[in-house]
Amino acid sequence: MPPVDRSHHAAQPPRRLHGWRKLAGSSWLAPFDPQFFGDMEIDAANLLAEIEDIRRHTGEHVTITHAVVKAVAAGLQAVPALNVRLTRGREHPRESIDVLVIVAVGDELTGVKVEAADRKSLAEIAAEIERRTALIRDGRDAEFGRTKRMLEVLPPRLLRLGIRFSAWLTSDLNLNLPRLGLPRQAFGSAMVSSIGMTGITHAYSPLASYYRVPLLILVGAVHEKAVVVNGMIVARPVLTLTATFDHRYTDGLQAVEFANAARAYLAAPHAAESVIHLDKTATQTVS
């Protein structure tokens, strides 16, 4: 193969940026964002049947979002390297697997942290989220009230500094300051937010720096989709989950391991729920 003549390219003088490149260069700095994204589709038939069965037997309004909270907990349990805090060049294992769920209260969004989500059943998770949401809605959640007052009082510039400072106190230093509306590790080990109630099936969300979590999952609406099953095209209920990962916590391999564990739970939730029930029964018998 003859050598490539690069003399023509070398002779070209540099040119000033213009048009879109000039506008883009003026709008943004060089990439400095550790986020990466992924999505997966789940055949939700077994999951919907399990949710209906739990509702019938417990009376709790279990939803797809509650199941995804459990799936996220299963993923973190399978990949404990994700269930850590990063600070001062070190990683610190978290004390438990806690999942923050974004909930709507009136026209506002807030979060309810489900502690030890891996050790709770779907019915228990649903009941806990409903109870805490009701307290917030009725103005009876003191911790939320303190946080809300701080948000309303501080001007934007001070609020920005206050958010960073509170994240440093409660996550980096791992302090618990509920009297100030600053609970320890306020955003838990990971976050879950549902967009399915709006009918949207697929979207992504950014990770704010003060979250201090490795990932955020968006739950899309379950919808019918043509899929291939045993060589036949059939309509199946499909759930789409999208994830935003913080690359400082995880690499691609760990993200795949997490996704596989979450998928396994959602594909066969009854098995995992049965194990939790047996564990609780055994504990009650021993005590």
Side-chain angles (χ1 to χ4, degrees):
M1 180 180 293
V4 178
D5 182 7
R6 294 186 174 87
S7 59
H8 172 74
H9 299 283
Q12 297 296 316
R15 296 183 299 177
R16 290 183 178 274
L17 295 178
H18 65 282
W20 168 248
R21 285 189 174 179
K22 182 177 181 180
L23 178 61
S26 301
S27 302
W28 295 295
L29 300 175
F32 196 69
D33 192 333
Q35 298 178 87
F36 68 97
F37 308 90
D39 61 63
M40 66 179 179
E41 292 184 337
I42 306 291
D43 185 328
N46 290 340
L47 179 60
L48 292 173
E50 177 68 11
I51 287 174
E52 184 60 33
D53 187 58
I54 294 173
R55 286 180 177 181
R56 186 166 54 250
H57 284 88
T58 68
E60 298 294 345
H61 185 64
V62 177
T63 68
I64 290 284
T65 300
H66 302 138
V68 174
V69 169
K70 279 288 298 182
V72 168
L76 293 173
Q77 190 174 34
V79 191
L82 291 182
N83 195 39
V84 297
R85 296 181 299 109
L86 301 182
T87 178
R88 299 179 181 178
R90 298 178 182 273
E91 60 179 35
H92 302 267
R94 295 185 190 270
E95 294 82 359
S96 60
I97 296 177
D98 307 334
V99 181
L100 183 90
V101 185
I102 304 299
V103 298
V105 179
D107 58 353
E108 296 183 346
L109 294 177
T110 186
V112 172
K113 186 171 72 172
V114 180
E115 298 182 355
D118 56 316
R119 300 201 296 271
K120 293 175 179 174
S121 68
L122 278 179
E124 289 172 324
I125 289 173
E128 181 175 336
I129 292 174
E130 175 57 33
R131 178 184 59 79
R132 181 75 189 278
T133 303
L135 290 174
I136 294 173
R137 186 187 303 116
D138 297 341
R140 293 183 289 120
D141 190 291
E143 184 178 289
F144 174 76
R146 296 185 188 99
T147 303
K148 185 176 181 180
R149 283 193 294 274
M150 181 181 69
L151 291 175
E152 292 176 347
V153 169
L154 293 178
R157 185 170 296 181
L158 286 180
L159 180 59
R160 187 180 303 114
L161 294 174
I163 289 173
R164 293 175 182 175
F165 184 59
S166 63
W168 177 71
L169 289 173
T170 61
S171 184
D172 296 358
L173 298 186
N174 205 30
L175 298 178
N176 191 32
L177 305 170
R179 291 175 179 264
L180 301 177
L182 302 174
R184 186 190 347 260
Q185 301 177 40
F187 297 92
S189 309
M191 297 172 63
V192 171
S193 182
S194 175
I195 56 173
M197 64 186 71
T198 66
I200 296 174
T201 61
H202 200 119
Y204 292 92
S205 179
L207 278 172
S209 61
Y210 58 86
Y211 292 164
R212 301 293 206 274
V213 297
L215 69 145
L216 187 159
I217 303 290
L218 286 190
V219 185
V222 175
H223 59 291
E224 281 201 339
K225 185 174 182 179
V227 298
V228 178
V229 179
N230 297 325
M232 302 290 290
I233 298 178
V234 296
R236 301 289 290 177
V238 171
L239 167 67
T240 300
L241 301 179
T242 59
T244 304
F245 290 93
D246 188 330
H247 212 341
R248 296 172 302 174
Y249 289 84
T250 180
D251 55 27
L253 178 60
Q254 291 171 327
V256 169
E257 291 174 346
F258 169 87
N260 288 339
R263 180 191 293 275
Y265 172 83
L266 293 171
H270 180 73
E273 291 300 301
S274 297
V275 169
I276 290 176
H277 176 72
L278 289 173
D279 287 346
K280 290 185 181 295
T281 301
T283 300
Q284 290 171 358
T285 302
V286 171
S287 60

